Amino acid sequence: MPFLSEMSVIGKTMSHYRVVEKLGAGGMGVVYRAEDTVLNRSVALKFLPTETIRDKAVLDRFLREARSAAALNHPNICTIYEVAEHEGEQFLVMELLEGDNLKTFIGGKPLKIERVLDLGIQIAEALEAAHAKGIVHRDIKPANVFVTTSNQAKVLDFGLAKLMAPLRSAGVDGESAAPTAVQGGLTTPGSTIGTVSYMSPEQARGETLDARSDLFSFGVVVYEMATGVLAFEGSNEAVVFDAIFNVSPIPPSRRNRALPVELDRIVCKALEKDPEMRYQSATELKTDLKRMKRDQDSGSSVSRARPGAPAAGEQPAPTPAQKSVAVLYFENLSGAKDDEYFRDGMTEDIVTELSKIRQLKVFPRSEVLSFRDKPVTAPEVGQELGAGYVLEGSIRRAGNRLRITTQLVETKTRVSAWAERYDREIEDIFEIQDEIACSIAQALRVTLSPQEIETIEKKPTENLQAYDYYLRGRSYTRRENLQFALQMFEQAIKLDADFAQAHAGVANVCGRLFDFSKNDPQWIDRGLAASERALALDPQEAEVLTGRAWMSYAEKQYDEAVRYAKRAIERKPDCDGAYNILGRALFASDRFEEAANLVDRAVEANGDDYNVYIPYSLALRRLDRTAELDDLEQKHVAALERQLELAPDDVRARILLAGRYAILKREEEAIRQVEMAVALRPGDSNILYNAACTFGLLGRKRETLDMMKRARDSGYSDFVWMARDPDLACVHEDPEFLALFNQES
């Protein structure tokens, strides 16, 4: 209380206002209920903190601000009736509201989307009215928004935040109570952190503010209404400020799966760090909220979330079909099979770049793989997949020169929406990928946010030769030609010691080699060192998290492997190897049901990698889900046969195909594939192990045991997997197998 004790105020008449009771107190002052004896109505009186009254310059400024705010007459703004005086003390006479402040209303839990939009539109209308009169609030936050018993939003304290700024810097509590509430949330002053969390970057830097600062703060409020948590969190002011300056919040729909993805776009635009990239007016923001509410009320698929909560790796609900894009594997015009890895790598990286654009639906690689190197037209592909547009192209590599031609074809009209030819040096490959992604966005009238542009322009390495080695290593890893893969990743690291994905590639390979080389601890040491280096360089990169998952798996820390794999999938749903290691870790820890329930997502994301099918097939077999297993096995066979058409020397694909043929009772074909694979790589422990599995599926116990011994002698040592592998069920009770297993376990 600025000048009288609480007890001396209750019952007093100040001017023509009789004070009835205290309602609350906070950084903005003390609030009382009073009766207007002239107009016979209930009002709220707000007395300012003592520090304000003592500083004449601040008091004069308050009077100017308060009189300006009193000119605001809007149903969503708490009305200031007058600035009154009693015995030389100034106080505000305000509209008395019944209800609670929005902070209490949220209570740490997300509101329903209908309520978020309804309240959001009302708050936006309040800001629109205030900004039209040149008044900036400067302290928009849930504690300064009141929700009446009739669900009407009322913004409080217009004009007071500017007054309180110097007081906060002097140590006065910065959180205001809801000054005119009858109940709830009024007796405990808030914390400075509460106010800091809603500041715009320019406000946090102490710069001159305009209406766009309020829009940023409003974006934080919408985020909290929709998710129940703050967009920018931290244990102290420094951490919060750093987040406001440098961190893009997790999209609301990732925190609350019931939210429409359109809300992500609105909130993202409101929370742009650069005011020039933000909403430029409350009217613009209000219009987007109203449009979304209309679509939501009408049940439009544009704004509605997919029913149910997506699991790890599931992408948000797709945007309209006219903005869906399928990227065909570019045609390799170099005439050299050795360039296939480069063609594949570049095509897949373009898919990754386009997937970073929120307003595009990009078909996963697995869905276009069947069209690779096939004489099909873009409209045919688009029609079969249901894609609005298809990107096709070709690549010719000659020395350090690249010629890339590409065009975006609209499926319905068969007309080219955009086309370009690039004659560049190979060192320009990243710029070409960026230009293609941005050009497609422009052709489809998609506006990229600064974060999307920044993400697209992020390069994995500045060294193009290192990138080339990395692509080779990735290709060898898929074929589990691990020694070659390791050499490629190591060459990439020699050229760029800070290439996080290359270090992650080493970890990925070492995790696998540990199981295939008699559990030699050198692979654990080497892999962990590579993984730690990768995490230090880029702890959020999906490939880095996947590499760490492989190392956790090698150490038999299966739960940890699952966590890392799921984090990788959240960052990048089609990340190479992520669903493979997730399935392996789930299977190895007997979480068969969980693995089986991920089958569709795994195939959708990584179906072009024939390795991903294996752990999920095993899980389905353990659960006797035969119909699903048969369907998955057919898809696996198709993927393997397609791979061998393109790369007959892929021994890994050949030995896996042998096993699939065995399951399908195609015994002669199975044995022929086994014999070819073992002849090509007779000392490869993993090939020998899979040969044993093929014989096991055929029920040929002698050949199974003999091949298992050869695999062991060549270094195979994943006996936890072996003991669970249903492919070997015919020998699991055999004394010779048990002796082998017990000897090694």
Side-chain angles (χ1 to χ4, degrees):
M1 181 65 200
F3 65 104
L4 294 171
S5 71
E6 177 182 334
M7 293 302 296
S8 65
V9 173
I10 304 299
K12 282 185 66 70
T13 298
M14 300 181 176
S15 181
H16 53 89
Y17 302 102
R18 184 173 61 84
V19 180
V20 177
E21 64 177 325
K22 181 179 177 180
L23 295 177
M28 290 290 191
V30 185
V31 184
Y32 294 88
R33 178 207 290 268
E35 295 297 328
D36 184 337
T37 58
V38 174
L39 297 178
N40 193 26
R41 63 181 176 182
S42 295
V43 297
L45 306 185
K46 169 172 277 193
F47 293 89
L48 300 180
T50 305
E51 292 82 357
T52 303
I53 303 302
R54 289 174 180 169
D55 189 325
K56 186 177 185 305
V58 172
L59 180 60
D60 289 343
R61 188 174 68 189
F62 157 70
L63 293 174
R64 290 195 301 272
E65 293 279 336
R67 288 177 181 125
S68 295
L72 294 174
N73 183 14
H74 191 275
N76 297 118
I77 296 176
C78 180
T79 302
I80 299 177
Y81 295 135
E82 67 171 318
V83 180
E85 181 180 336
H86 177 75
E87 297 179 357
E89 304 295 342
Q90 308 287 338
F91 59 92
L92 295 177
V93 183
M94 308 169 67
E95 176 183 11
L96 182 69
L97 305 174
E98 295 189 4
D100 219 329
N101 70 45
L102 182 57
K103 189 72 174 178
T104 304
F105 200 69
I106 295 170
K109 297 179 181 179
L111 306 182
K112 291 184 177 180
I113 184 59
E114 295 80 9
R115 183 59 57 84
V116 172
L117 294 175
D118 183 49
L119 294 176
I121 290 168
Q122 293 186 59
I123 298 167
E125 288 178 339
L127 294 175
E128 181 182 41
H131 294 167
K133 292 185 177 293
I135 298 175
V136 180
H137 191 288
R138 300 180 182 86
D139 198 19
I140 292 294
K141 58 189 177 186
N144 279 337
V145 177
F146 201 80
V147 182
T148 70
T149 53
S150 60
N151 291 318
Q152 186 176 24
K154 293 273 190 176
V155 180
L156 313 171
D157 287 344
F158 266 105
L160 297 190
K162 187 174 182 181
L163 166 71
M164 300 307 297
L167 301 182
R168 288 195 187 110
S169 65
V172 177
D173 182 6
E175 177 79 37
S176 74
T180 55
V182 171
Q183 60 187 33
L186 296 171
T187 58
T188 305
S191 67
T192 304
I193 290 294
T195 291
V196 167
S197 296
Y198 302 93
M199 284 186 179
S200 66
E202 59 269 28
Q203 185 175 13
R205 287 191 292 265
E207 298 172 357
T208 303
L209 305 182
D210 60 24
R212 295 173 297 182
S213 178
D214 279 353
L215 301 184
F216 184 96
S217 301
F218 176 44
V220 182
V221 172
V222 174
Y223 190 102
E224 187 172 354
M225 285 196 292
T227 66
V229 299
L230 290 169
F232 305 104
E233 300 177 287
S235 57
N236 56 57
E237 286 190 17
V239 175
V240 176
F241 279 137
D242 180 69
I244 291 171
F245 293 142
N246 302 309
V247 177
S248 296
I250 296 170
S253 66
R254 289 265 299 280
R255 289 189 181 273
N256 178 2
R257 298 296 193 181
L259 291 175
V261 293
E262 173 64 8
L263 190 67
D264 290 352
R265 186 194 67 79
I266 293 173
V267 170
C268 178
K269 187 172 181 179
L271 297 183
E272 289 284 0
K273 311 294 186 187
D274 182 353
E276 295 296 327
M277 304 302 297
R278 206 176 294 157
Y279 283 103
Q280 298 301 292
S281 70
T283 302
E284 183 185 358
L285 202 165
K286 178 192 73 173
T287 299
D288 277 0
L289 289 173
K290 280 192 167 184
R291 182 181 297 111
M292 184 178 170
K293 186 176 188 300
R294 178 200 64 193
D295 294 340
Q296 192 75 19
D297 291 344
S298 66
S300 168
S301 61
V302 174
S303 65
R304 294 180 69 85
R306 230 182 297 184
E314 184 172 356
Q315 299 187 28
T319 48
Q322 66 268 22
K323 290 185 180 179
S324 61
V325 180
V327 181
L328 291 179
Y329 278 82
F330 282 23
E331 185 180 0
N332 177 23
L333 299 180
S334 304
K337 276 288 183 182
D338 288 345
D339 279 342
E340 297 270 323
Y341 77 92
F342 188 83
R343 181 275 304 267
D344 291 353
M346 180 178 172
T347 304
E348 291 165 11
D349 284 350
I350 290 173
V351 172
T352 298
E353 297 297 278
L354 289 173
S355 298
K356 297 171 183 175
I357 302 174
R358 188 175 293 108
Q359 294 182 57
L360 292 183
K361 176 193 173 184
V362 183
F363 285 80
R365 301 188 310 261
S366 58
E367 294 197 32
V368 298
L369 186 65
S370 60
F371 303 108
R372 185 170 66 177
D373 296 329
K374 297 292 176 61
V376 292
T377 66
E380 289 172 345
V381 174
Q383 187 172 7
E384 184 168 337
L385 294 178
Y389 293 84
V390 175
L391 181 71
E392 62 179 359
S394 64
I395 180 169
R396 185 187 300 276
R397 181 178 178 185
N400 289 327
R401 294 291 299 175
L402 284 177
R403 169 170 288 183
I404 296 172
T405 61
T406 184
Q407 70 169 340
L408 184 68
V409 180
E410 185 177 11
T411 300
K412 188 175 182 180
T413 65
R414 299 174 176 262
V415 172
S416 175
W418 166 81
E420 188 59 82
R421 188 178 85 175
Y422 302 90
D423 286 298
R424 304 278 187 86
E425 298 291 329
I426 195 170
E427 63 200 33
D428 295 327
I429 186 66
F430 296 129
E431 283 74 13
I432 295 172
Q433 293 171 359
D434 296 348
E435 288 178 30
I436 289 173
C438 292
S439 295
I440 289 174
Q442 185 176 14
L444 299 182
R445 295 183 176 86
V446 171
T447 302
L448 299 180
S449 70
Q451 285 92 345
E452 287 172 330
I453 293 173
E454 181 181 349
T455 304
I456 288 171
E457 291 179 347
K458 180 183 177 183
K459 299 178 181 179
T461 175
E462 295 291 339
N463 189 302
L464 269 298
Q465 191 175 357
Y467 177 68
D468 188 86
Y469 278 120
Y470 171 74
L471 291 180
R472 291 174 187 266
R474 192 165 72 179
S475 178
Y476 282 128
T477 301
R478 285 183 182 175
R479 301 184 186 191
E480 290 203 356
N481 198 337
L482 299 178
Q483 290 293 348
F484 278 112
L486 185 61
Q487 292 173 27
M488 296 300 104
F489 291 135
E490 288 175 335
Q491 286 297 320
I493 292 168
K494 284 182 181 178
L495 295 168
D496 181 358
D498 295 332
F499 192 174
Q501 292 175 351
H503 286 287
V506 171
N508 188 323
V509 170
C510 287
R512 303 181 195 219
L513 283 171
F514 178 72
D515 284 332
F516 303 156
S517 57
K518 297 183 179 179
N519 287 356
D520 188 336
Q522 69 154 317
W523 298 118
I524 293 291
D525 296 340
R526 196 169 172 183
L528 287 175
S531 179
E532 291 306 313
R533 176 63 174 152
L535 285 167
L537 289 167
D538 195 343
Q540 298 303 318
E541 178 66 43
E543 284 80 3
V544 170
L545 296 168
T546 300
R548 186 64 184 84
W550 278 100
M551 289 310 305
S552 298
Y553 176 83
E555 292 186 294
K556 296 180 173 53
Q557 296 175 1
Y558 301 126
D559 289 344
E560 184 176 85
V562 168
R563 286 195 297 273
Y564 277 114
K566 286 185 175 180
R567 283 178 57 193
I569 291 166
E570 287 173 3
R571 299 288 298 176
K572 183 180 176 183
D574 65 345
C575 178
D576 251 18
Y579 269 109
N580 185 1
I581 189 58
L582 175 58
R584 286 178 175 273
L586 291 172
F587 182 79
S589 53
D590 295 335
R591 294 159 69 174
F592 307 129
E593 193 76 34
E594 190 174 346
N597 291 336
L598 289 173
V599 167
D600 290 341
R601 298 186 188 101
V603 173
E604 180 183 357
N606 288 145
D608 57 329
D609 178 4
Y610 51 74
N611 295 291
V612 79
Y613 296 85
I614 300 168
Y616 299 100
S617 293
L618 296 176
L620 290 172
R621 198 176 307 165
R622 279 298 186 95
L623 296 170
D624 291 325
R625 289 162 64 166
T626 54
E628 295 167 80
L629 176 62
D630 290 345
D631 180 64
L632 188 62
E633 291 290 6
Q634 292 292 342
K635 291 177 180 177
H636 196 188
V637 168
L640 290 164
E641 290 179 338
R642 185 167 56 240
Q643 174 64 11
L644 287 172
E645 283 180 21
L646 298 168
D649 59 340
D650 189 340
V651 182
R652 167 72 174 168
R654 193 170 296 283
I655 194 63
L656 292 179
L657 183 59
R660 300 319 99 191
Y661 283 159
I663 290 173
L664 298 173
K665 308 302 182 185
R666 294 160 63 173
E667 184 168 348
E668 290 185 9
E669 293 172 276
I671 292 176
R672 183 169 66 251
Q673 296 295 343
V674 165
E675 290 173 345
M676 290 176 64
V678 172
L680 288 167
R681 298 217 319 240
D684 188 314
S685 63
N686 197 34
I687 295 297
L688 296 170
Y689 173 74
N690 280 280
C693 290
T694 301
F695 286 122
L697 288 165
L698 294 172
R700 299 171 69 151
K701 294 176 63 174
R702 184 68 265 154
E703 290 95 330
T704 301
L705 291 167
D706 289 346
M707 202 60 73
M708 284 175 61
K709 290 177 182 177
R710 287 183 61 181
R712 178 202 61 184
D713 294 343
S714 295
Y716 189 86
S717 53
D718 190 354
F719 295 98
V720 172
W721 182 274
M722 184 184 294
R724 287 171 167 76
D725 195 338
D727 291 355
L728 301 174
C730 72
V731 297
H732 276 163
E733 302 302 322
D734 190 284
E736 195 171 340
F737 169 80
L738 295 174
L740 175 71
F741 182 79
N742 291 331
Q743 176 185 349
E744 298 294 341
S745 60

